[in-house]
């Protein structure tokens, strides 16, 4: 009977591995949060009361946002690659492709929506839109990775809704959602999954 139960457990674990990408690095979440907080602080230091799309300030803000994005993505790729190698898995497989596709569909939609808002000068709603669509991306992708990603997504969606309710504090909510939440989530993931191995 014990052998039978163990076989069922082994089959269940194999099915989970084939349908879920389990090699996300908690440390990459922590570092993404640190980059986001550093970026938010940099924007806070240079932001002026009023600026235009053609101004130097706006170009600096775009540069900071892109730098945070590039650093976060690069760090996630490097640390996830190291973790998959350590776990004896491959980083680019059918499950990781489904994960990426389900993550990118809402994210790209939100990105296009954000650009259109920017073009039409709806500046106040851009931060909430970024948070809400990023949260929805995490929820959508969570089907193909650890379920804890879903909770992070839900929290970020709620922060995005609060950001919509309290216009004028977009940067603060952005720092909370992309910065603080990622650091807490990454720390939780590191101790729950990474340290066990």
């Amino acid at each position: 009977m014990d052998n039978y139960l163990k076989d069922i457990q082994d089959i269940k674990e194999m099915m989970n591995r084939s349908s879920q990408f389990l090699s996300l690095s908690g440390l990459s979440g922590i570092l993404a949060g640190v980059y986001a907080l550093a970026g938010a602080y940099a924007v806070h230091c240079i932001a002026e009361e009023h600026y235009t799309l053609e101004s130097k300030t706006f170009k600096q803000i775009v540069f900071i946002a892109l730098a945070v994005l590039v650093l976060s993505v690069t760090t996630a790729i490097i640390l996830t690659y190291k973790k998959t190698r350590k776990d004896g898995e491959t980083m680019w497989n059918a499950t990781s492709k489904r994960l990426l596709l389900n993550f990118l569909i809402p994210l790209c939609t939100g990105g296009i929506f954000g650009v259109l808002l920017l073009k039409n000068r709806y500046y106040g709603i851009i931060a909430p839109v970024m948070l809400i669509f990023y949260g929805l991306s995490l929820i959508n992708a969570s089907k193909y990775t650890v379920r804890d990603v879903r909770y992070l997504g839900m929290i970020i969606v709620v922060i995005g809704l609060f950001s919509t309710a309290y216009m004028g504090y977009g940067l603060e909510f952005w720092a909370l959602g992309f910065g603080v939440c990622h650091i807490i989530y990454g720390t939780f993931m590191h101790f729950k999954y990474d340290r066990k191995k």
Side-chain angles (χ1 to χ4, degrees), residues 43-169:
V43 169
H44 172 73
C45 290
I46 65 165
E48 302 163 353
E49 190 68 32
H50 299 287
Y51 53 87
T52 64
L53 296 184
E54 295 78 26
S55 68
K56 183 182 175 185
T57 300
F58 178 76
K59 289 173 184 168
Q60 288 174 328
I61 291 170
V62 169
F63 175 78
I64 291 167
L66 289 174
V68 169
L69 177 66
V70 169
L71 278 171
S72 298
V73 170
T74 303
T75 302
I77 290 170
I78 291 169
L79 293 179
T80 300
Y81 175 73
K82 285 184 177 180
K83 193 165 186 281
T84 53
R85 283 189 53 137
K86 184 181 171 187
D87 295 345
E89 297 174 12
T90 56
M91 183 172 159
W92 195 242
N93 56 37
T95 307
S96 63
K97 287 174 188 175
R98 284 194 296 269
L99 168 70
L100 189 62
L101 179 65
N102 280 270
F103 178 74
L104 287 176
I105 290 170
L107 191 71
C108 291
T109 304
I112 293 165
F113 186 37
V115 169
L116 293 172
L117 289 171
L118 189 65
K119 182 175 176 263
N120 290 291
R121 302 183 184 276
Y122 291 108
Y123 305 125
I125 202 168
I126 292 173
V129 162
M130 289 172 66
L131 286 162
I132 291 168
F133 276 91
Y134 178 66
L136 291 173
S137 297
L138 292 173
I139 293 167
N140 204 40
S142 68
K143 296 175 283 196
Y144 301 102
T145 187
V146 291
R147 297 292 179 220
D148 303 297
V149 171
R150 179 183 299 267
Y151 304 122
L152 175 64
M154 290 176 180
I155 290 167
I156 290 178
V157 167
V158 170
I159 291 170
L161 293 173
F162 271 104
S163 179
T164 308
Y166 296 96
M167 291 289 188
Y169 295 96

Side-chain angles (χ1 to χ4, degrees), residues 21-31 75-76 78-84 86-87 89 145-146 148-149 182-197:
F21 185 71
L22 303 174
S23 293
L24 296 176
S25 167
L27 185 57
S28 67
I30 296 169
L31 290 172
T75 302
I78 291 169
L79 293 179
T80 300
Y81 175 73
K82 285 184 177 180
K83 193 165 186 281
T84 53
K86 184 181 171 187
D87 295 345
E89 297 174 12
T145 187
V146 291
D148 303 297
V149 171
H182 270 107
I183 291 170
I184 293 170
Y185 163 79
T187 303
F188 172 77
M189 292 289 286
H190 179 71
F191 284 101
K192 185 175 180 181
Y193 298 103
D194 300 356
R195 289 284 293 270
K196 286 183 178 178
K197 298 184 175 179

